[in-house]
Amino acid sequence: AAANLESDDFVGISFWLISMALMASTVFFLWETQGVTAKWKTSLVVSALVTFIAAVHYFYMRDVWVATQSTPTVYRYIDWLLTVPLLMIEFYLILRAIGVASAGIFWRLLIGTLVMLIPGYMSEAGYLNITVGFVIGMLGWFYILYEIFFGEAGKAAEANASPAVTYAYKAMRWIVTVGWAIYPIGYVLGYMTGTADQETLNIVYNLADLVNKIAFGLLIWYAATSESQSAA
Amino acid sequence: AAANLESDDFVGISFWLISMALMASTVFFLWETQGVTAKWKTSLVVSALVTFIAAVHYFYMRDVWVATQSTPTVYRYIDWLLTVPLLMIEFYLILRAIGVASAGIFWRLLIGTLVMLIPGYMSEAGYLNITVGFVIGMLGWFYILYEIFFGEAGKAAEANASPAVTYAYKAMRWIVTVGWAIYPIGYVLGYMTGTADQETLNIVYNLADLVNKIAFGLLIWYAATSESQSAA
Ligand SMILES: CC1=C(/C=C/C(C)=C/C=C/C(C)=C/C=O)C(C)(C)CCC1
Ligand SMILES: CC1=C(/C=C/C(C)=C/C=C/C(C)=C/C=O)C(C)(C)CCC1
């Protein structure tokens, strides 16, 4: 399939770029564990898992795209079902590293994720009304946002973090707000108003993953390396 | 496709050689992180990312070459869009390791990269006049050269570095001048005068990557290991 990438197939090019960037990020996060103190290593490994899982999906999606100029959303949902819970675990791990996590935070964020993704997928696959799935999914997302801004997680982070951790935590929170908004917007344009085509949707999702997976991981790397240096 | 490599296909052989050398360099840089002090590890990891990304692209380009005796430039540009910014980050990291980096250096080098590559690609893909893309790209490259020779980065390196770091920094700078010149020359011969054929262009690009990716990384390895030994 690789042979057919055309120089003006910008969606295909964006699939290539992101899949390579995801692989490289995986190597980066894994090796950078050497430079951080023990309690931050797990956070970096989880960042690497997110980019690794996504990279494998992107290699498949890229080849399907190059061959057919479309890519079924089912691959993205499989990816999300694994990577979104891992991203939620990152909030938990960062709070645990600074000593303020509770198991309740972990479970609430996980439940929020499932409420967001499962109805969304059931609608896209035709098992649930498009609007119903959307509304339930939005509730799950709002619940996650509530928890990390105003809930136990938000309060714990505010009270106890160093500047680098505060910076990273706040930026991660904004990624969950602004970066994640791209997916429900894509859903609305693709399924409800029907105004978006496959090309636009895929290029926008690809760029979104650059922010939501790689930049998100880099924020954690920033917090981890800053904390580890000040501990040394 | 690999099965078809002919003994007199010297371009194909150069693709094989470079792709293997890139893989081996990746392993080398990653494992050598063990031998250097914390602040130099990231530099070696980034060297490994450059050779890793390039290696993956070379495997594809090699197979396309062996199958078709030509290789679309689009793969090289995808590689460049990822690896050139990483090479620029190396200048930033080396200055940071000796304690004299500023965020401005990082952003200016990144912008120079994009101004160099994007118009070049748009011209090759037919979206911009060949000469216009070339002139804008050259400006981006000159801007990078200015920054690392005479700008803040150049001055910071001159004032504060140990002999090994000075040596590496100066050599890296010359690679960006002489080694990188090969790509715009190839562009002129391929698109403007039309005197270069696919074979010559690909063999020259392949050798260029040996210098610009592997030798460049080895210079960083030299600085990192020398500094780490004198710190021990
Ligand atoms: C709210 C909402 C959605 C949100 C999806 C999101 C927010 C996905 C995030 C994925 C990420 C961040 C992946 C990165 O690894 C759906 C299911 C599209 C449709 C239903 C409403
Ligand atoms: C100036 C110029 C160019 C320069 C390209 C360069 C300098 C690429 C360097 C790539 C490297 C160093 C890759 C190694 O990893 C173009 C885009 C060909 C054409 C427009 C003018």
Side-chain angles (χ1 to χ4, degrees), chain B residues 88 91 95 102-110 112 139-157 169 173 176:
Chain B
M88 296 292 93
F91 280 102
L95 295 175
S102 79
I105 295 175
F106 172 81
W107 288 110
R108 283 194 296 276
L109 291 174
L110 191 66
L139 291 177
W141 181 37
F142 289 150
Y143 184 61
I144 293 172
L145 289 174
Y146 173 81
E147 176 69 31
I148 57 181
F149 275 93
F150 311 109
E152 198 191 333
K155 287 192 196 108
Y169 186 90
R173 210 150 75 167
V176 176

PDB file of all heavy atoms in Angstrom, chain B residues 88 91 95 102-110 112 139-157 169 173 176:
ATOM      1  N   MET B  88      17.169  20.629  14.865  1.00  0.00           N
ATOM      2  CA  MET B  88      17.225  21.983  15.431  1.00  0.00           C
ATOM      3  C   MET B  88      17.135  21.932  16.955  1.00  0.00           C
ATOM      4  O   MET B  88      17.806  22.677  17.659  1.00  0.00           O
ATOM      5  CB  MET B  88      16.090  22.834  14.868  1.00  0.00           C
ATOM      6  CG  MET B  88      16.170  23.075  13.366  1.00  0.00           C
ATOM      7  SD  MET B  88      17.566  24.124  12.911  1.00  0.00           S
ATOM      8  CE  MET B  88      18.821  22.922  12.545  1.00  0.00           C
ATOM      9  N   PHE B  91      20.441  21.540  18.686  1.00  0.00           N
ATOM     10  CA  PHE B  91      21.207  22.756  18.997  1.00  0.00           C
ATOM     11  C   PHE B  91      20.719  23.337  20.319  1.00  0.00           C
ATOM     12  O   PHE B  91      21.503  23.741  21.178  1.00  0.00           O
ATOM     13  CB  PHE B  91      21.057  23.800  17.882  1.00  0.00           C
ATOM     14  CG  PHE B  91      21.937  23.540  16.698  1.00  0.00           C
ATOM     15  CD1 PHE B  91      21.423  22.986  15.538  1.00  0.00           C
ATOM     16  CD2 PHE B  91      23.293  23.835  16.744  1.00  0.00           C
ATOM     17  CE1 PHE B  91      22.231  22.742  14.445  1.00  0.00           C
ATOM     18  CE2 PHE B  91      24.116  23.596  15.655  1.00  0.00           C
ATOM     19  CZ  PHE B  91      23.576  23.042  14.498  1.00  0.00           C
ATOM     20  N   LEU B  95      22.853  23.546  23.965  1.00  0.00           N
ATOM     21  CA  LEU B  95      23.035  24.819  24.668  1.00  0.00           C
ATOM     22  C   LEU B  95      22.413  24.748  26.063  1.00  0.00           C
ATOM     23  O   LEU B  95      22.926  25.324  27.015  1.00  0.00           O
ATOM     24  CB  LEU B  95      22.423  25.967  23.865  1.00  0.00           C
ATOM     25  CG  LEU B  95      23.096  26.244  22.510  1.00  0.00           C
ATOM     26  CD1 LEU B  95      22.343  27.320  21.753  1.00  0.00           C
ATOM     27  CD2 LEU B  95      24.557  26.641  22.696  1.00  0.00           C
ATOM     28  N   SER B 102      17.956  29.681  25.471  1.00  0.00           N
ATOM     29  CA  SER B 102      16.727  30.439  25.728  1.00  0.00           C
ATOM     30  C   SER B 102      15.634  29.874  24.836  1.00  0.00           C
ATOM     31  O   SER B 102      15.910  29.300  23.777  1.00  0.00           O
ATOM     32  CB  SER B 102      16.936  31.917  25.396  1.00  0.00           C
ATOM     33  OG  SER B 102      16.860  32.111  24.004  1.00  0.00           O
ATOM     34  N   ALA B 103      14.382  30.041  25.251  1.00  0.00           N
ATOM     35  CA  ALA B 103      13.271  29.527  24.456  1.00  0.00           C
ATOM     36  C   ALA B 103      13.232  30.192  23.081  1.00  0.00           C
ATOM     37  O   ALA B 103      12.818  29.585  22.093  1.00  0.00           O
ATOM     38  CB  ALA B 103      11.950  29.747  25.193  1.00  0.00           C
ATOM     39  N   GLY B 104      13.696  31.436  22.988  1.00  0.00           N
ATOM     40  CA  GLY B 104      13.708  32.137  21.707  1.00  0.00           C
ATOM     41  C   GLY B 104      14.512  31.406  20.647  1.00  0.00           C
ATOM     42  O   GLY B 104      14.109  31.314  19.487  1.00  0.00           O
ATOM     43  N   ILE B 105      15.671  30.858  21.064  1.00  0.00           N
ATOM     44  CA  ILE B 105      16.504  30.101  20.127  1.00  0.00           C
ATOM     45  C   ILE B 105      15.696  28.955  19.529  1.00  0.00           C
ATOM     46  O   ILE B 105      15.667  28.750  18.315  1.00  0.00           O
ATOM     47  CB  ILE B 105      17.752  29.534  20.849  1.00  0.00           C
ATOM     48  CG1 ILE B 105      18.647  30.679  21.328  1.00  0.00           C
ATOM     49  CG2 ILE B 105      18.518  28.566  19.950  1.00  0.00           C
ATOM     50  CD1 ILE B 105      19.839  30.225  22.150  1.00  0.00           C
ATOM     51  N   PHE B 106      15.010  28.230  20.393  1.00  0.00           N
ATOM     52  CA  PHE B 106      14.211  27.092  19.974  1.00  0.00           C
ATOM     53  C   PHE B 106      13.159  27.502  18.938  1.00  0.00           C
ATOM     54  O   PHE B 106      13.046  26.904  17.866  1.00  0.00           O
ATOM     55  CB  PHE B 106      13.546  26.501  21.224  1.00  0.00           C
ATOM     56  CG  PHE B 106      12.552  25.432  20.941  1.00  0.00           C
ATOM     57  CD1 PHE B 106      12.967  24.131  20.690  1.00  0.00           C
ATOM     58  CD2 PHE B 106      11.191  25.708  20.922  1.00  0.00           C
ATOM     59  CE1 PHE B 106      12.044  23.139  20.428  1.00  0.00           C
ATOM     60  CE2 PHE B 106      10.263  24.723  20.652  1.00  0.00           C
ATOM     61  CZ  PHE B 106      10.694  23.435  20.406  1.00  0.00           C
ATOM     62  N   TRP B 107      12.410  28.551  19.249  1.00  0.00           N
ATOM     63  CA  TRP B 107      11.327  28.955  18.349  1.00  0.00           C
ATOM     64  C   TRP B 107      11.850  29.492  17.028  1.00  0.00           C
ATOM     65  O   TRP B 107      11.299  29.219  15.968  1.00  0.00           O
ATOM     66  CB  TRP B 107      10.408  29.986  19.027  1.00  0.00           C
ATOM     67  CG  TRP B 107       9.579  29.338  20.081  1.00  0.00           C
ATOM     68  CD1 TRP B 107       9.694  29.496  21.433  1.00  0.00           C
ATOM     69  CD2 TRP B 107       8.525  28.385  19.881  1.00  0.00           C
ATOM     70  NE1 TRP B 107       8.778  28.701  22.079  1.00  0.00           N
ATOM     71  CE2 TRP B 107       8.051  28.010  21.154  1.00  0.00           C
ATOM     72  CE3 TRP B 107       7.932  27.801  18.754  1.00  0.00           C
ATOM     73  CZ2 TRP B 107       7.013  27.093  21.336  1.00  0.00           C
ATOM     74  CZ3 TRP B 107       6.908  26.889  18.936  1.00  0.00           C
ATOM     75  CH2 TRP B 107       6.457  26.544  20.215  1.00  0.00           C
ATOM     76  N   ARG B 108      12.935  30.262  17.074  1.00  0.00           N
ATOM     77  CA  ARG B 108      13.461  30.815  15.825  1.00  0.00           C
ATOM     78  C   ARG B 108      13.949  29.710  14.895  1.00  0.00           C
ATOM     79  O   ARG B 108      13.716  29.737  13.686  1.00  0.00           O
ATOM     80  CB  ARG B 108      14.573  31.818  16.119  1.00  0.00           C
ATOM     81  CG  ARG B 108      14.015  33.154  16.606  1.00  0.00           C
ATOM     82  CD  ARG B 108      15.065  34.244  16.571  1.00  0.00           C
ATOM     83  NE  ARG B 108      16.173  33.983  17.469  1.00  0.00           N
ATOM     84  CZ  ARG B 108      16.173  34.271  18.770  1.00  0.00           C
ATOM     85  NH1 ARG B 108      15.132  34.834  19.325  1.00  0.00           N
ATOM     86  NH2 ARG B 108      17.227  34.000  19.513  1.00  0.00           N
ATOM     87  N   LEU B 109      14.634  28.706  15.471  1.00  0.00           N
ATOM     88  CA  LEU B 109      15.117  27.611  14.624  1.00  0.00           C
ATOM     89  C   LEU B 109      13.951  26.818  14.043  1.00  0.00           C
ATOM     90  O   LEU B 109      13.989  26.381  12.896  1.00  0.00           O
ATOM     91  CB  LEU B 109      16.055  26.698  15.424  1.00  0.00           C
ATOM     92  CG  LEU B 109      17.399  27.328  15.813  1.00  0.00           C
ATOM     93  CD1 LEU B 109      18.194  26.392  16.721  1.00  0.00           C
ATOM     94  CD2 LEU B 109      18.219  27.660  14.570  1.00  0.00           C
ATOM     95  N   LEU B 110      12.893  26.661  14.847  1.00  0.00           N
ATOM     96  CA  LEU B 110      11.731  25.920  14.360  1.00  0.00           C
ATOM     97  C   LEU B 110      11.056  26.668  13.205  1.00  0.00           C
ATOM     98  O   LEU B 110      10.698  26.070  12.177  1.00  0.00           O
ATOM     99  CB  LEU B 110      10.732  25.712  15.495  1.00  0.00           C
ATOM    100  CG  LEU B 110       9.610  24.738  15.173  1.00  0.00           C
ATOM    101  CD1 LEU B 110      10.168  23.334  14.979  1.00  0.00           C
ATOM    102  CD2 LEU B 110       8.571  24.725  16.278  1.00  0.00           C
ATOM    103  N   GLY B 112      12.457  28.836  11.191  1.00  0.00           N
ATOM    104  CA  GLY B 112      13.342  28.729  10.031  1.00  0.00           C
ATOM    105  C   GLY B 112      13.124  27.423   9.279  1.00  0.00           C
ATOM    106  O   GLY B 112      13.038  27.396   8.042  1.00  0.00           O
ATOM    107  N   LEU B 139      15.622  31.370   1.965  1.00  0.00           N
ATOM    108  CA  LEU B 139      15.598  32.376   3.038  1.00  0.00           C
ATOM    109  C   LEU B 139      15.485  31.699   4.407  1.00  0.00           C
ATOM    110  O   LEU B 139      16.148  32.089   5.368  1.00  0.00           O
ATOM    111  CB  LEU B 139      14.437  33.355   2.823  1.00  0.00           C
ATOM    112  CG  LEU B 139      14.593  34.289   1.605  1.00  0.00           C
ATOM    113  CD1 LEU B 139      13.358  35.160   1.436  1.00  0.00           C
ATOM    114  CD2 LEU B 139      15.847  35.157   1.740  1.00  0.00           C
ATOM    115  N   GLY B 140      14.621  30.662   4.476  1.00  0.00           N
ATOM    116  CA  GLY B 140      14.483  29.932   5.733  1.00  0.00           C
ATOM    117  C   GLY B 140      15.803  29.312   6.162  1.00  0.00           C
ATOM    118  O   GLY B 140      16.202  29.390   7.332  1.00  0.00           O
ATOM    119  N   TRP B 141      16.499  28.725   5.204  1.00  0.00           N
ATOM    120  CA  TRP B 141      17.781  28.075   5.505  1.00  0.00           C
ATOM    121  C   TRP B 141      18.811  29.119   5.955  1.00  0.00           C
ATOM    122  O   TRP B 141      19.514  28.919   6.957  1.00  0.00           O
ATOM    123  CB  TRP B 141      18.266  27.324   4.260  1.00  0.00           C
ATOM    124  CG  TRP B 141      19.550  26.590   4.398  1.00  0.00           C
ATOM    125  CD1 TRP B 141      20.011  25.902   5.482  1.00  0.00           C
ATOM    126  CD2 TRP B 141      20.565  26.457   3.382  1.00  0.00           C
ATOM    127  NE1 TRP B 141      21.232  25.351   5.212  1.00  0.00           N
ATOM    128  CE2 TRP B 141      21.595  25.675   3.932  1.00  0.00           C
ATOM    129  CE3 TRP B 141      20.680  26.916   2.066  1.00  0.00           C
ATOM    130  CZ2 TRP B 141      22.742  25.349   3.205  1.00  0.00           C
ATOM    131  CZ3 TRP B 141      21.812  26.581   1.343  1.00  0.00           C
ATOM    132  CH2 TRP B 141      22.835  25.803   1.906  1.00  0.00           C
ATOM    133  N   PHE B 142      18.889  30.253   5.246  1.00  0.00           N
ATOM    134  CA  PHE B 142      19.841  31.305   5.630  1.00  0.00           C
ATOM    135  C   PHE B 142      19.543  31.826   7.034  1.00  0.00           C
ATOM    136  O   PHE B 142      20.451  32.147   7.799  1.00  0.00           O
ATOM    137  CB  PHE B 142      19.811  32.469   4.626  1.00  0.00           C
ATOM    138  CG  PHE B 142      20.411  32.104   3.297  1.00  0.00           C
ATOM    139  CD1 PHE B 142      19.971  32.709   2.120  1.00  0.00           C
ATOM    140  CD2 PHE B 142      21.432  31.153   3.199  1.00  0.00           C
ATOM    141  CE1 PHE B 142      20.519  32.369   0.889  1.00  0.00           C
ATOM    142  CE2 PHE B 142      21.978  30.814   1.964  1.00  0.00           C
ATOM    143  CZ  PHE B 142      21.523  31.412   0.810  1.00  0.00           C
ATOM    144  N   TYR B 143      18.262  31.882   7.355  1.00  0.00           N
ATOM    145  CA  TYR B 143      17.883  32.353   8.680  1.00  0.00           C
ATOM    146  C   TYR B 143      18.406  31.395   9.759  1.00  0.00           C
ATOM    147  O   TYR B 143      18.948  31.821  10.784  1.00  0.00           O
ATOM    148  CB  TYR B 143      16.357  32.471   8.738  1.00  0.00           C
ATOM    149  CG  TYR B 143      15.843  33.030  10.029  1.00  0.00           C
ATOM    150  CD1 TYR B 143      16.206  34.304  10.441  1.00  0.00           C
ATOM    151  CD2 TYR B 143      15.006  32.280  10.836  1.00  0.00           C
ATOM    152  CE1 TYR B 143      15.739  34.816  11.639  1.00  0.00           C
ATOM    153  CE2 TYR B 143      14.535  32.788  12.029  1.00  0.00           C
ATOM    154  CZ  TYR B 143      14.905  34.050  12.424  1.00  0.00           C
ATOM    155  OH  TYR B 143      14.443  34.550  13.614  1.00  0.00           O
ATOM    156  N   ILE B 144      18.283  30.097   9.495  1.00  0.00           N
ATOM    157  CA  ILE B 144      18.832  29.102  10.430  1.00  0.00           C
ATOM    158  C   ILE B 144      20.340  29.296  10.566  1.00  0.00           C
ATOM    159  O   ILE B 144      20.890  29.321  11.677  1.00  0.00           O
ATOM    160  CB  ILE B 144      18.520  27.667   9.933  1.00  0.00           C
ATOM    161  CG1 ILE B 144      17.029  27.386   9.990  1.00  0.00           C
ATOM    162  CG2 ILE B 144      19.306  26.638  10.742  1.00  0.00           C
ATOM    163  CD1 ILE B 144      16.622  26.066   9.348  1.00  0.00           C
ATOM    164  N   LEU B 145      21.020  29.437   9.419  1.00  0.00           N
ATOM    165  CA  LEU B 145      22.477  29.608   9.448  1.00  0.00           C
ATOM    166  C   LEU B 145      22.850  30.856  10.236  1.00  0.00           C
ATOM    167  O   LEU B 145      23.791  30.849  11.037  1.00  0.00           O
ATOM    168  CB  LEU B 145      23.026  29.691   8.015  1.00  0.00           C
ATOM    169  CG  LEU B 145      22.983  28.369   7.246  1.00  0.00           C
ATOM    170  CD1 LEU B 145      23.398  28.581   5.800  1.00  0.00           C
ATOM    171  CD2 LEU B 145      23.889  27.327   7.909  1.00  0.00           C
ATOM    172  N   TYR B 146      22.120  31.939  10.001  1.00  0.00           N
ATOM    173  CA  TYR B 146      22.402  33.177  10.725  1.00  0.00           C
ATOM    174  C   TYR B 146      22.299  32.938  12.232  1.00  0.00           C
ATOM    175  O   TYR B 146      23.179  33.304  13.006  1.00  0.00           O
ATOM    176  CB  TYR B 146      21.445  34.287  10.283  1.00  0.00           C
ATOM    177  CG  TYR B 146      21.595  35.516  11.132  1.00  0.00           C
ATOM    178  CD1 TYR B 146      22.625  36.428  10.886  1.00  0.00           C
ATOM    179  CD2 TYR B 146      20.743  35.748  12.212  1.00  0.00           C
ATOM    180  CE1 TYR B 146      22.795  37.530  11.694  1.00  0.00           C
ATOM    181  CE2 TYR B 146      20.911  36.849  13.026  1.00  0.00           C
ATOM    182  CZ  TYR B 146      21.937  37.737  12.760  1.00  0.00           C
ATOM    183  OH  TYR B 146      22.106  38.827  13.572  1.00  0.00           O
ATOM    184  N   GLU B 147      21.215  32.279  12.630  1.00  0.00           N
ATOM    185  CA  GLU B 147      20.991  32.063  14.064  1.00  0.00           C
ATOM    186  C   GLU B 147      22.119  31.240  14.699  1.00  0.00           C
ATOM    187  O   GLU B 147      22.615  31.592  15.762  1.00  0.00           O
ATOM    188  CB  GLU B 147      19.634  31.377  14.289  1.00  0.00           C
ATOM    189  CG  GLU B 147      19.316  30.994  15.734  1.00  0.00           C
ATOM    190  CD  GLU B 147      19.081  32.188  16.654  1.00  0.00           C
ATOM    191  OE1 GLU B 147      18.587  33.220  16.157  1.00  0.00           O
ATOM    192  OE2 GLU B 147      19.415  32.097  17.851  1.00  0.00           O
ATOM    193  N   ILE B 148      22.533  30.160  14.043  1.00  0.00           N
ATOM    194  CA  ILE B 148      23.531  29.302  14.698  1.00  0.00           C
ATOM    195  C   ILE B 148      24.954  29.843  14.568  1.00  0.00           C
ATOM    196  O   ILE B 148      25.825  29.491  15.357  1.00  0.00           O
ATOM    197  CB  ILE B 148      23.455  27.834  14.210  1.00  0.00           C
ATOM    198  CG1 ILE B 148      23.627  27.713  12.704  1.00  0.00           C
ATOM    199  CG2 ILE B 148      22.147  27.197  14.643  1.00  0.00           C
ATOM    200  CD1 ILE B 148      23.544  26.285  12.190  1.00  0.00           C
ATOM    201  N   PHE B 149      25.211  30.714  13.566  1.00  0.00           N
ATOM    202  CA  PHE B 149      26.553  31.302  13.462  1.00  0.00           C
ATOM    203  C   PHE B 149      26.667  32.618  14.232  1.00  0.00           C
ATOM    204  O   PHE B 149      27.554  32.795  15.051  1.00  0.00           O
ATOM    205  CB  PHE B 149      26.941  31.529  11.994  1.00  0.00           C
ATOM    206  CG  PHE B 149      27.529  30.309  11.346  1.00  0.00           C
ATOM    207  CD1 PHE B 149      26.721  29.416  10.650  1.00  0.00           C
ATOM    208  CD2 PHE B 149      28.893  30.039  11.438  1.00  0.00           C
ATOM    209  CE1 PHE B 149      27.260  28.283  10.055  1.00  0.00           C
ATOM    210  CE2 PHE B 149      29.437  28.910  10.842  1.00  0.00           C
ATOM    211  CZ  PHE B 149      28.614  28.031  10.149  1.00  0.00           C
ATOM    212  N   PHE B 150      25.737  33.547  13.974  1.00  0.00           N
ATOM    213  CA  PHE B 150      25.914  34.904  14.499  1.00  0.00           C
ATOM    214  C   PHE B 150      24.835  35.318  15.482  1.00  0.00           C
ATOM    215  O   PHE B 150      24.958  36.318  16.162  1.00  0.00           O
ATOM    216  CB  PHE B 150      25.932  35.916  13.339  1.00  0.00           C
ATOM    217  CG  PHE B 150      26.860  35.512  12.236  1.00  0.00           C
ATOM    218  CD1 PHE B 150      26.361  35.073  11.013  1.00  0.00           C
ATOM    219  CD2 PHE B 150      28.238  35.534  12.425  1.00  0.00           C
ATOM    220  CE1 PHE B 150      27.208  34.678  10.000  1.00  0.00           C
ATOM    221  CE2 PHE B 150      29.091  35.143  11.416  1.00  0.00           C
ATOM    222  CZ  PHE B 150      28.579  34.715  10.204  1.00  0.00           C
ATOM    223  N   GLY B 151      23.717  34.566  15.545  1.00  0.00           N
ATOM    224  CA  GLY B 151      22.594  34.953  16.405  1.00  0.00           C
ATOM    225  C   GLY B 151      22.864  34.585  17.859  1.00  0.00           C
ATOM    226  O   GLY B 151      23.989  34.271  18.249  1.00  0.00           O
ATOM    227  N   GLU B 152      21.782  34.579  18.626  1.00  0.00           N
ATOM    228  CA  GLU B 152      21.901  34.299  20.054  1.00  0.00           C
ATOM    229  C   GLU B 152      22.544  32.937  20.300  1.00  0.00           C
ATOM    230  O   GLU B 152      23.401  32.795  21.175  1.00  0.00           O
ATOM    231  CB  GLU B 152      20.495  34.334  20.673  1.00  0.00           C
ATOM    232  CG  GLU B 152      20.485  34.491  22.169  1.00  0.00           C
ATOM    233  CD  GLU B 152      19.101  34.258  22.757  1.00  0.00           C
ATOM    234  OE1 GLU B 152      18.098  34.478  22.036  1.00  0.00           O
ATOM    235  OE2 GLU B 152      19.031  33.842  23.919  1.00  0.00           O
ATOM    236  N   ALA B 153      22.149  31.935  19.502  1.00  0.00           N
ATOM    237  CA  ALA B 153      22.682  30.585  19.690  1.00  0.00           C
ATOM    238  C   ALA B 153      24.186  30.591  19.470  1.00  0.00           C
ATOM    239  O   ALA B 153      24.959  30.056  20.288  1.00  0.00           O
ATOM    240  CB  ALA B 153      22.003  29.605  18.726  1.00  0.00           C
ATOM    241  N   GLY B 154      24.631  31.191  18.380  1.00  0.00           N
ATOM    242  CA  GLY B 154      26.058  31.238  18.073  1.00  0.00           C
ATOM    243  C   GLY B 154      26.854  31.902  19.177  1.00  0.00           C
ATOM    244  O   GLY B 154      27.883  31.376  19.622  1.00  0.00           O
ATOM    245  N   LYS B 155      26.352  33.030  19.657  1.00  0.00           N
ATOM    246  CA  LYS B 155      27.082  33.762  20.701  1.00  0.00           C
ATOM    247  C   LYS B 155      27.125  32.969  21.997  1.00  0.00           C
ATOM    248  O   LYS B 155      28.161  32.894  22.661  1.00  0.00           O
ATOM    249  CB  LYS B 155      26.418  35.118  20.940  1.00  0.00           C
ATOM    250  CG  LYS B 155      26.669  36.095  19.791  1.00  0.00           C
ATOM    251  CD  LYS B 155      26.271  37.513  20.158  1.00  0.00           C
ATOM    252  CE  LYS B 155      26.153  38.386  18.929  1.00  0.00           C
ATOM    253  NZ  LYS B 155      24.740  38.715  18.589  1.00  0.00           N
ATOM    254  N   ALA B 156      25.988  32.359  22.356  1.00  0.00           N
ATOM    255  CA  ALA B 156      25.928  31.600  23.600  1.00  0.00           C
ATOM    256  C   ALA B 156      26.936  30.458  23.571  1.00  0.00           C
ATOM    257  O   ALA B 156      27.642  30.197  24.555  1.00  0.00           O
ATOM    258  CB  ALA B 156      24.518  31.054  23.822  1.00  0.00           C
ATOM    259  N   ALA B 157      27.037  29.778  22.429  1.00  0.00           N
ATOM    260  CA  ALA B 157      27.943  28.642  22.332  1.00  0.00           C
ATOM    261  C   ALA B 157      29.391  29.111  22.437  1.00  0.00           C
ATOM    262  O   ALA B 157      30.219  28.495  23.119  1.00  0.00           O
ATOM    263  CB  ALA B 157      27.737  27.907  21.013  1.00  0.00           C
ATOM    264  N   TYR B 169      29.743  21.572  18.461  1.00  0.00           N
ATOM    265  CA  TYR B 169      28.842  22.630  18.007  1.00  0.00           C
ATOM    266  C   TYR B 169      29.306  23.187  16.670  1.00  0.00           C
ATOM    267  O   TYR B 169      28.504  23.357  15.742  1.00  0.00           O
ATOM    268  CB  TYR B 169      28.763  23.749  19.057  1.00  0.00           C
ATOM    269  CG  TYR B 169      27.731  24.808  18.728  1.00  0.00           C
ATOM    270  CD1 TYR B 169      26.423  24.692  19.171  1.00  0.00           C
ATOM    271  CD2 TYR B 169      28.064  25.912  17.951  1.00  0.00           C
ATOM    272  CE1 TYR B 169      25.478  25.653  18.859  1.00  0.00           C
ATOM    273  CE2 TYR B 169      27.125  26.879  17.628  1.00  0.00           C
ATOM    274  CZ  TYR B 169      25.825  26.741  18.091  1.00  0.00           C
ATOM    275  OH  TYR B 169      24.889  27.690  17.765  1.00  0.00           O
ATOM    276  N   ARG B 173      27.391  22.868  12.995  1.00  0.00           N
ATOM    277  CA  ARG B 173      27.123  24.067  12.229  1.00  0.00           C
ATOM    278  C   ARG B 173      27.582  23.902  10.783  1.00  0.00           C
ATOM    279  O   ARG B 173      26.886  24.299   9.843  1.00  0.00           O
ATOM    280  CB  ARG B 173      27.929  25.171  12.897  1.00  0.00           C
ATOM    281  CG  ARG B 173      27.398  26.493  12.812  1.00  0.00           C
ATOM    282  CD  ARG B 173      27.810  27.274  14.029  1.00  0.00           C
ATOM    283  NE  ARG B 173      29.225  27.679  13.979  1.00  0.00           N
ATOM    284  CZ  ARG B 173      29.747  28.599  14.814  1.00  0.00           C
ATOM    285  NH1 ARG B 173      28.989  29.161  15.737  1.00  0.00           N
ATOM    286  NH2 ARG B 173      30.996  28.914  14.734  1.00  0.00           N
ATOM    287  N   VAL B 176      25.242  21.759   8.836  1.00  0.00           N
ATOM    288  CA  VAL B 176      24.048  22.491   8.399  1.00  0.00           C
ATOM    289  C   VAL B 176      24.373  23.372   7.182  1.00  0.00           C
ATOM    290  O   VAL B 176      23.520  23.627   6.339  1.00  0.00           O
ATOM    291  CB  VAL B 176      23.455  23.334   9.559  1.00  0.00           C
ATOM    292  CG1 VAL B 176      22.285  24.180   9.090  1.00  0.00           C
ATOM    293  CG2 VAL B 176      23.030  22.431  10.697  1.00  0.00           C
TER     294      VAL B 176
END
